[in-house]
Each structure stands twice: as C-alpha cells, then as structure tokens.
Amino acid sequence: MGNVDSDNGVKSGSAVQPVKKIYLWLGDRIFTTVVVALGITIILITLGMALVLFLEGGAALKEFGLFGFISNTTWDPAVQLVFGAWPFILGTLVTSILALAISFFPAIAVAIFSAEYAAGWLSEIIDNLIRLIAAIPSVVIGIWGIFILAPWLRDTVYEPIYFWTETNYPEYLSILGNPMGYGMATATIVLALMILPYTTALAKDAIKAVPKDQREASWALGSTRWEVIRMAVLPYARGGIMAGAILSLGRAIGETMAVAMLIGNKNTLPFSIFGAGATMPSVIVNEFREAVESLHLSSLMAIGFVLFLIALIVNLTAAYIKRKISVGGGQVV
Amino acid sequence: MIGVLSFATLVVLLPLIIIIFHVFIEGFSALSYEFFTEELGSPSRAIQNRATGLVHTIIGTVVVDFLALIFAVPVGIGAGMMLSEYPEHMLNPSLRIMNDTLNGMPAILKGLFVFVLIVKPMGTFSGIAGSIALAVVMLPIIARTTESALQSIPWTIREAGLALGLPRWRVVLSAVMPAAKGGLITGVLLAFARAAGEAAPLLFTSFGNNYLPNSWLGFIFSPTDTLPQRLYSLAISPYEQWHSMGWAAAIVLFGIVIATFIAARFLAKDKFSKLK
C-alpha cells in the first residue's frame, strides 16, 4: 500500500480522540504482525525443507561424498550397502527431457491454434479441456497406464519393433531392451501426455499477453495471418513460451506416481529404450517405506536433496528467462 | 497452416480424451454398493472374492483433505496478503521467491519434509501428518492466487477507505477482501483440487490402513487411508478384485477433483476476478 503511514486515518482533524488513535495504531500493528508472521511461515517452510533434506541426507553424503554419491552407479541396499544416485538422476533427466522434446511442438501448435485461429467458443472449449486434463491426478493417469496403455504399447508398438529388429538387426536388441510394456519408453510417453496441457496453457497465456499494437503493426505491413503469428506474435511471446516449457520440464522431473507405476523400477545402468528404469522420485516412493538400514534411508533423503537442487535450478532458470526475454506470460496453478 | 494446426490439436487432444473416456467406462462398471459401505480388509478377502470396499478410505480422504484446508487457508491467505498489501516490507521480495520455489518443488519432497518433522517425532504415521503434507502442497498455490486476487482490486478502493479515515487493516479486511471474494475462493478450490489428487506425500505421512479405525480420532492420530495413495496400492497389487476397486477409486477421486476444478472455473468468471 505504498508508503501510507499507519496513523494516516487520524490526520484529518481534532474530532478523533487520542484513545481512538492508539486503538487504530494498535490494530494496524497487530494486523501487520499477523500477516508478516504468516508470510514468514512460508519462507521458513521452504528453507526448512532444504535444510531437513540436507541434514537427513547428511549421513549418506558424508559416507560417499556429494560428488561420489551423484556419480556412483551402484545402488545396493541389500548386500554391499553402497548407494549411488546416478542411475536415478540419469533416468530422471532422460525421461523428462525426452518427454518435453516430444510434447513441446504439439503443445505450441495447440496453443497457437486455440489462441489465434479457433473461434471464440472453440477456443473456450479447448482451453477448458486442456486445463481439465491438467487437473487429472497423477495416480489416475498411472492406473490408466498400467491397465490400458502399457499392454497396448507392448502388443501393437514395442513387440512388432522388437521382432522386426530381431530378424534384421539382432545386434541392436540390447538397445531396445525387453518389450514388456513397462519401462523408460512408456514412462516418457506418459510424462509427455501429462506435461502437454501444462506447456499449452502457459504458451497460450504468453501468446494472449502479446499487445495488440504488435499484431496491428504487422497487419498494416500486409502480412498474412501466419506471418503475423510467426514474425510479430511468437518472437514477442518467446520468453513466456520458453519459461513455460522449462516449468513443464520441472513438472516432469518431479512427477512421481505415474512414473513409479510405469517405469518398471530397475535400479541399475544401463538403460534400454523399452526396458525398465527408475527416476529419483520413483525410487524414493518405492523404497522409502521399506528402508530399514539408516544409511539406506539417509541415501533416499540425499536423493531428495539432489532432486531439490535440480528443481531449484530449473525454477530459477524459468524465472530468469521470463524476466530476461519477455514481457508477456501468465501463470497456471 | 490452419489445417496443420487444427489437425495437430485434434491429434493432441485425442489421447487425452481417451484417458477420460477409459476412466469413466472402467470406473463406472467397477463401482458397487459395497464399495461405499465395506472396508478393505486383508488380501484374503480379495482372494476369496468376498465383498470389499473403501468406506474407510473415503472418510479418511475427507478428514485429511479438510484438515489440510484448515491448516493451509489462513497461512496461504495471510502470505498472499503480505505479497499484495505490503510491497514495501523488507521481507516481501524473499517471500515471493520462496513461495515460487515452494510451488515448484515436487510434492514428494514435501512428504519427506513432513515425515521428518511430524512422523518421526510422533513415532507413527498419522492422518494429521498427511494433512500437514497436503497443506504444504496447497500453501504456495493459495498464496499466489490470493496475491493476484487482491491485486485485481483497484487501488482506488483502498484510497477511498483510507480517505474515510479507516485504518489499513480495516481497509484490507472490510473493503478489499470482500471485493476479492470470488478470486480468493477460486484460489482455495484450485489448491484443493491439486492437493486432493496427490499420492506421493501421503505415502510417507498418512501411510494407509486397510481397516476402519475404532474412533474418529483414529483417522487423525493413526495411519489413515486416502484415495490417491490407496489407488496406487490397489493398482500395483496382484489381485484382480483390487484392480477393479482401483478403477472405482480412480473415478471417485477423478470426480472429486473435477467437481472442485469446475466449481473453481465457474467462480473464476465472477466479475471481480481475473483469475483463470
């Protein structure tokens, strides 16, 4: 509220009694204190989360060293008690970056169509549908993946490719991996489906935020509709669109349930395309409740800490890009 | 170009519509009377094909979700007020960064955080730990939507209030808040819709339970079932009957989330709110 003084209300004249003045001052004091305390709660929760994950993962980080923990490819909670996070970090990065790569252009296409071409009512329908789909809980996508998508992919996509490769190029079979339906490829496809509405909604907000003048100038120069979009709208919305894509990547990195249900949960390198893998969130979900060794538990917390750092970097990058390259952009909750 | 783009839109929306279609078909055929009246019990019940249901899960979900709202709404709205009404405060920029960071953090980490903070000292998984974890999921969303709802109220309203001699807190509570009511409720509903579908943080906090507790307090202070986390365990279980109950749980959960979401969208069209 700018620099309004807290006793502003009583400056008007002599009609106000001193008692009332104190009462007004006290009311504002109390209100400000409460509101600021609630704000500080959020600051404390965020800092506390980082601290808790760091401290709880401390034993593992001390045992293996931060770099050793990140780069070690062995995860053996049963025999040797050696914990390395690299298979999960790699699994997370591969699935989420591939998911973004698959879904980025389709998502932008939907955003452009809905924002620029579709009639008002159609745009409204697409918009509502996209946001509705973004609201489907992860576990619901997961159960659909387990019982419908994975068997279908196995029978109609993976096995034909596998058998074709087997007859023609058997030496490449290990890259493909066992086509059981649950694995890296399935998890990537589901991740792509899950972040697509999110990327679309953010891109559409960015496109909608491009000022009218920008388009009108382009129209006045005799551009066609597509030229207006390509040369006036998209460059302007670029920052918002890129920031949205990176936020979607962040979503994919943190996505837990659907991935844990579909990735097959194999804790060792090397990964193959159809074969099983694991991500940082999926290994935490799968092993946390069964972890009895304190070093195992601490290693899972340390994975949480690494996940925190990666998510932090992704979010800061998105914020930076948005501020740096663009004016437009909106928010999706 | 319009041809390519409209075709792309169709192709993209199709699998997403198929998901919704399957959830409805499979979910409705799996729903039964027993689903709402029986408890899950041990796996032997499923093997013997005796009637099982998720009544304890549904009640647990209601208890945990509403407790989460009770924790999250005051803090979230207060923080949103600080963001919107105290831009001059020293800590405001930090709050904005911290809130966005919290919003971007995977929900599973919020579960780990609450596990260390609540479950470990209490010595047991509990419904209340689950609701605190969900509250942490809701908080940054409520704070952000509150901020934009309050900021969509013109400054002239605040100036008018101050000119009348009202103190700042009266202006915020009696003039700005009522005007932003639609936007505030929308934000809370959106946060609820988001948190109600989360399973990951609940696995380490409310944990789950196959039986109805002995008393209402059992839902709060002992391990408690909730729909998302139960749906996960049902789906990865080896029993045919539990799979079909998983679908029934999916449609109930989907129904709750979608109903909340549609209500939020509907309210967002409120004349005072710019929120979408």
Side-chain angles (χ1 to χ4, degrees), chain B residues 22-46:
Chain B
H22 274 135
V23 171
F24 267 86
I25 298 290
E26 303 275 343
F28 268 121
S29 56
L31 278 179
S32 64
Y33 176 71
E34 287 79 23
F35 181 83
F36 295 101
T37 53
E38 296 285 326
E39 56 184 10
L40 186 64
S42 68
S44 65
R45 276 175 86 155

Side-chain angles (χ1 to χ4, degrees), chain A residues 1 24 27-28 31-32 39 46 56 113 117 127-128 131 133 135 144 148 196 226 251 289 301 312 333, chain B residues 1 5-6 9 12 16 22 85-87 95 98 101 116 120 141 167-169 194 203 207 246 257 261 265:
Chain A
M1 227 179 259
L24 287 175
D28 266 345
F31 183 71
T32 310
T46 313
E56 293 286 316
F113 178 74
Y117 286 97
D127 195 55
N128 280 312
R131 285 173 202 264
I133 289 158
W144 175 79
I148 311 248
L196 200 148
W226 175 239
R251 274 257 163 134
R289 305 209 299 181
M301 287 287 188
L312 186 67
V333 183
Chain B
M1 215 51 217
L5 289 174
S6 49
T9 306
V12 163
L16 298 166
H22 274 135
E85 308 297 318
Y86 291 89
L95 173 58
M98 291 298 166
T101 307
V116 174
K120 260 177 124 181
I141 306 174
R168 211 166 154 176
W169 64 276
R194 171 86 164 275
L203 289 166
F207 195 78
V257 170
F261 183 75
R265 292 287 284 173

Side-chain angles (χ1 to χ4, degrees), chain A residues 5 38 49 57 95 105 108 136 178 189 236 240 261 268 272 314:
Chain A
D5 242 293
L38 295 175
M49 221 168 90
T95 49
F105 287 104
I108 302 304
I136 303 178
N178 188 11
I189 291 168
Y236 200 91
M261 289 158 95
T268 49
S272 43
V314 166

Side-chain angles (χ1 to χ4, degrees), chain A residues 171-233:
Chain A
E171 65 272 24
Y172 293 123
L173 279 183
S174 64
I175 301 173
L176 283 183
N178 188 11
M180 54 187 174
Y182 307 100
M184 300 286 280
T186 311
T188 305
I189 291 168
V190 164
L191 273 180
L193 281 177
M194 290 180 76
I195 62 172
L196 200 148
Y198 196 61
T199 321
T200 303
L202 288 164
K204 191 179 172 184
D205 285 347
I207 291 171
K208 285 267 179 196
V210 175
K212 243 180 164 178
D213 312 2
Q214 189 80 5
R215 296 157 202 271
E216 276 162 7
S218 186
W219 284 117
L221 289 172
S223 310
T224 63
R225 191 165 205 171
W226 175 239
E227 282 169 342
V228 172
I229 296 170
R230 189 164 52 89
M231 300 193 297
V233 176

Side-chain angles (χ1 to χ4, degrees), chain B residues 108-182:
Chain B
I108 186 173
L109 298 182
K110 296 165 188 170
L112 291 180
F113 173 61
V114 173
F115 172 85
V116 174
L117 226 60
I118 312 283
V119 177
K120 260 177 124 181
M122 267 179 76
T124 170
F125 297 102
S126 61
I128 195 163
S131 48
I132 292 173
L134 289 190
V136 177
V137 174
M138 293 174 180
L139 267 178
I141 306 174
I142 298 181
R144 274 197 80 152
T145 48
T146 300
E147 184 199 0
S148 20
L150 294 182
Q151 278 186 338
S152 72
I153 305 306
W155 287 102
T156 44
I157 288 192
R158 297 175 177 85
E159 282 160 10
L162 292 172
L164 285 172
L166 289 177
R168 211 166 154 176
W169 64 276
R170 280 296 300 272
V171 172
V172 175
L173 290 183
S174 322
V176 182
M177 291 280 282
K181 199 173 69 192

